[in-house]
Amino acid sequence: MSAHNEEAPELIEDQLIEDQIMAAAPTVLVAGADAAGQRLDQWLAAQLGPDMSRSRVQMLIRQGAVMIDGRPVDETKRKMTPGESVSVAMPEPEPASPRGENIALDVLYEDDALIVVNKPAGLVVHPGAGNWTGTLVNALVHHCGASLSGIGGVRRPGIVHRLDKETSGVMVVAKTDRAHKALSEAFADHGRTGDLERAYLALVWGIPQRPTGTVDAPLGRAADRVRRAVVPEGRDDARHAVTHFAVQERFGENQREFATASLVECRLETGRTHQIRVHMAHVGHPVIGDPDYGQAFRTKANRLPEPLKSQVKAFSRQALHAWLLAFRHPDTHLTMRFEAPMPEDMEELVGGFRDL
């Protein structure tokens, strides 16, 4: 087993921690004259009060939760300068264990080791800031009972990969420690050394110049610390990210009156948060309906005929669907393949563009 695979579960947990930090509202502090020459961790611990130990402050710094004058900093011993603005994003405390909730699940497959579901758009995967209940994890705890207890940690039992809240499609969840370890390693490796295959369908604005392409651009925090963005490779928070895409259908390419669009299949070589959405926007083809990365293209809907114009304006989420998931079963070692058709709302939207 490679060192990369041995670290896989930890890498996934680190990504979850980073997402939670980014969602937290920051506390902003300004260094006074007495801060001159003090270590960042010492000064910050004193400013945050007796309930915040220096070791906890050091952990927040290393996790990327601290910024000075808008730039991330990860050096605990960094010397302070009067007038510097320090922002700290402290994650909200999580409940010890999610409660089971009777939420309907579209189960594609289930055995003693794992469960495969077709997640609907609008369902958050695991509890977190602002979504402590009503998540896929709450539904799984109710459905699977004690078999999920503690697998991969009580806060996110069984979770080895995620989909954004408004992204639909196939997900696998582990029900044993053995399955969790094997699947976590496979997802962290993204199929480079095993039988993992993931494919997404995205309805995007415009028609790429080439039928296939690769976006190789590192991702990091956007200026608002909530979204992601393509960032310079050398930046502290830059993470290697590669997306391969292939155009499946072109809409409106033989006319000039209306806006064009494409149905694109995307395959991930890495698995960063919002990766497909950021990468497709970066190459000028944002996912239709994306509220975070497609805002600049919202007026494109005005260049469509009715009723398609109204359809696009009423579509309140990104048109992104995880249609294919294949992996090696951790116990039988057989390759399993699952497909989920596009949900009705996305299928209707694609149908509208086919009529252009």
Side-chain angles (χ1 to χ4, degrees):
M1 182 182 297
S2 68
H4 177 87
N5 281 351
E6 289 172 355
E7 295 174 357
E10 181 179 343
L11 291 173
I12 290 174
E13 182 66 17
D14 287 346
Q15 186 68 59
L16 294 170
I17 292 171
E18 182 180 345
D19 293 346
Q20 189 182 4
I21 287 171
M22 291 179 67
T27 297
V28 180
L29 304 165
V30 178
D34 58 345
Q38 287 192 48
R39 284 175 40 155
L40 173 60
D41 57 350
Q42 293 175 329
W43 179 82
L44 202 51
Q47 296 298 310
L48 294 174
D51 293 334
M52 184 66 65
S53 67
R54 192 194 300 182
S55 61
R56 173 62 171 153
V57 169
Q58 290 172 342
M59 182 180 297
L60 288 171
I61 294 171
R62 295 190 186 102
Q63 290 175 341
V66 178
M67 300 182 76
I68 295 181
D69 293 335
R71 296 182 178 180
V73 58
D74 59 7
E75 185 182 352
T76 60
K77 298 180 181 180
R78 180 193 184 280
K79 300 299 183 182
M80 296 294 300
T81 299
E84 289 181 319
S85 176
V86 181
S87 64
V88 186
M90 290 180 287
E92 294 184 27
E94 297 186 22
S97 178
R99 296 188 303 272
E101 296 179 43
N102 189 10
I103 300 170
L105 288 173
D106 182 2
V107 179
L108 304 181
Y109 175 83
E110 183 176 11
D111 61 23
D112 291 340
L114 53 85
I115 180 172
V116 181
V117 300
N118 180 17
K119 186 189 88 68
L123 184 64
V124 175
V125 170
H126 58 77
N131 294 285
W132 297 116
T133 60
T135 72
L136 177 62
V137 163
N138 296 110
L140 289 167
V141 169
H142 178 271
H143 178 86
C144 300
S147 64
L148 273 186
S149 179
I151 303 301
V154 295
R155 295 170 180 172
R156 304 175 185 91
I159 300 300
V160 295
H161 70 121
R162 295 171 299 157
L163 295 175
D164 294 338
K165 175 183 177 181
E166 298 298 347
T167 298
S168 56
V170 188
M171 285 188 63
V172 60
V173 177
K175 293 170 65 176
T176 67
D177 282 320
R178 176 189 177 93
H180 189 272
K181 183 174 186 296
L183 291 170
S184 292
E185 290 174 352
F187 276 92
D189 188 64
H190 298 287
R192 287 187 289 266
T193 60
D195 299 325
L196 179 74
E197 186 180 4
R198 284 193 293 171
Y200 297 73
L201 288 173
L203 181 62
V204 303
W205 287 114
I207 300 174
Q209 291 183 346
R210 297 180 180 179
T212 62
T214 296
V215 186
D216 185 345
L219 300 183
R221 301 179 185 88
D224 61 11
R225 292 181 60 82
V226 175
R227 295 177 297 170
R228 301 295 165 109
V230 170
V231 299
E233 190 170 346
R235 211 171 84 170
D236 290 344
D237 64 328
R239 299 291 184 269
H240 179 59
V242 179
T243 303
H244 305 284
F245 67 87
V247 178
Q248 305 296 299
E249 294 186 61
R250 299 167 178 81
F251 306 120
E253 65 176 336
N254 296 321
Q255 53 79 42
R256 296 185 178 181
E257 181 180 358
F258 303 119
T260 58
S262 305
L263 185 65
V264 177
E265 182 184 81
C266 295
R267 294 183 179 243
L268 302 178
E269 189 174 310
T270 57
R272 309 302 177 191
T273 299
H274 299 176
Q275 179 174 316
I276 291 174
R277 297 163 61 191
V278 178
H279 271 173
M280 294 310 297
H282 179 65
V283 296
H285 301 287
V287 178
I288 291 177
D290 192 328
D292 296 316
Y293 306 104
Q295 286 287 356
F297 284 69
R298 287 184 65 85
T299 57
K300 284 274 191 180
N302 294 326
R303 294 184 51 216
L304 295 172
E306 291 289 4
L308 181 56
K309 178 169 74 173
S310 296
Q311 274 185 280
V312 172
K313 288 187 174 183
F315 199 81
S316 58
R317 66 179 184 89
Q318 64 266 10
L320 182 62
H321 174 67
W323 79 273
L324 169 66
L325 176 63
F327 56 89
R328 181 181 297 176
H329 194 287
D331 291 342
T332 67
H333 305 296
L334 296 175
T335 298
M336 308 185 74
R337 182 184 177 94
F338 300 94
E339 300 178 7
M342 281 191 292
E344 185 177 353
D345 64 341
M346 186 171 167
E347 184 65 57
E348 290 178 354
L349 191 61
V350 171
F353 275 96
R354 288 191 179 118
D355 294 334
L356 275 181

